[in-house]
Amino acid sequence: MSLVLDPAAQDLLFREARSANTFTDEPVTDEQVQAIYDLVKYGPTAFNQTPLRITLVRSPEARERLVAHMAEGNRPKTASAPLVAILSADNEFHEELPHLFPAAPQIKDIFFTERPVRENAAALNAALQAAYFIVGVRAAGLAAGPMTGFDFEGVRKEFLDDDHTPLMVVNIGRPGPDAWHPRSPRLEFDQVVTTV
């Protein structure tokens, strides 16, 4: 059985898409980011909780502060990417649930009164949304360079607050020279899928 999605779109989103390590200096506009969000906001999360929060790092001063918290090997690409996004999980997402899940607004008080429960739910569902975000960046014809090599607590203190947990930093832009490392192997279908 073939996929319904056009093969060119399959290539753009998956087969030919790579994590970029260099970028051109072509700007990434607010309009592009808005279009990305308007597409990926429809990705499913449990109870439609949508805990992902996106902090766009645009100013040179903010970029310098972020680069200081990146692992050594990630500093040059974060310093030079046209746009950098800090993706975090909002651990107080439940406050939006009466609006986001109107079919059962009481869910907020049934399942999410305890902070550890919210943190676990936010981490899982924001990670799902982060993956949608990366695919959305690709759908915009841009390259994403997601990274977890940074000082999480330093980034939280510098850019977020106690109610937000950083998940990843994503460099965004058009790929530059020598942007790609060789493609790493992937597991085959029968290594991943089990039928019971």
Side-chain angles (χ1 to χ4, degrees), residues 33-186:
V33 177
Q34 177 79 52
I36 291 164
Y37 177 74
D38 286 343
L39 175 65
V40 304
K41 69 183 178 184
Y42 296 108
T45 56
F47 299 116
N48 198 35
Q49 61 189 248
T50 61
L52 181 71
R53 301 297 179 262
I54 303 166
T55 303
L56 299 178
V57 180
R58 286 205 180 273
S59 74
E61 298 78 19
R63 181 75 60 103
E64 188 175 315
R65 289 169 26 226
L66 177 59
V67 167
H69 294 289
M70 300 304 295
E72 189 67 37
N74 291 333
R75 289 179 180 175
K77 50 192 168 185
T78 301
S80 63
L83 179 63
V84 181
I86 301 168
L87 304 188
S88 64
D90 181 358
N91 296 306
E92 297 299 310
F93 69 87
H94 68 305
E95 297 297 343
E96 301 291 339
L97 282 176
H99 167 70
L100 293 172
F101 201 67
Q106 69 277 14
I107 292 295
K108 168 186 180 247
D109 299 316
I110 294 173
F111 291 114
F112 298 113
T113 56
E114 297 181 17
R115 175 70 179 237
V117 172
R118 291 196 307 273
E119 288 177 352
N120 287 337
L124 172 63
N125 287 279
L128 283 172
Q129 288 186 279
Y132 305 146
F133 180 78
I134 292 166
V135 173
V137 168
R138 294 170 174 182
L142 300 170
M147 301 169 294
T148 56
F150 61 91
D151 174 1
F152 280 68
E153 185 60 16
V155 166
R156 188 193 62 74
K157 286 181 178 178
E158 190 78 43
F159 293 96
L160 306 171
D161 59 33
D162 289 340
D163 290 331
H164 293 80
T165 303
L167 299 173
M168 65 182 70
V169 171
V170 183
N171 296 323
I172 304 168
R174 302 253 179 229
D178 301 317
W180 322 117
H181 294 309
R183 170 81 73 193
S184 295
R186 298 298 193 265

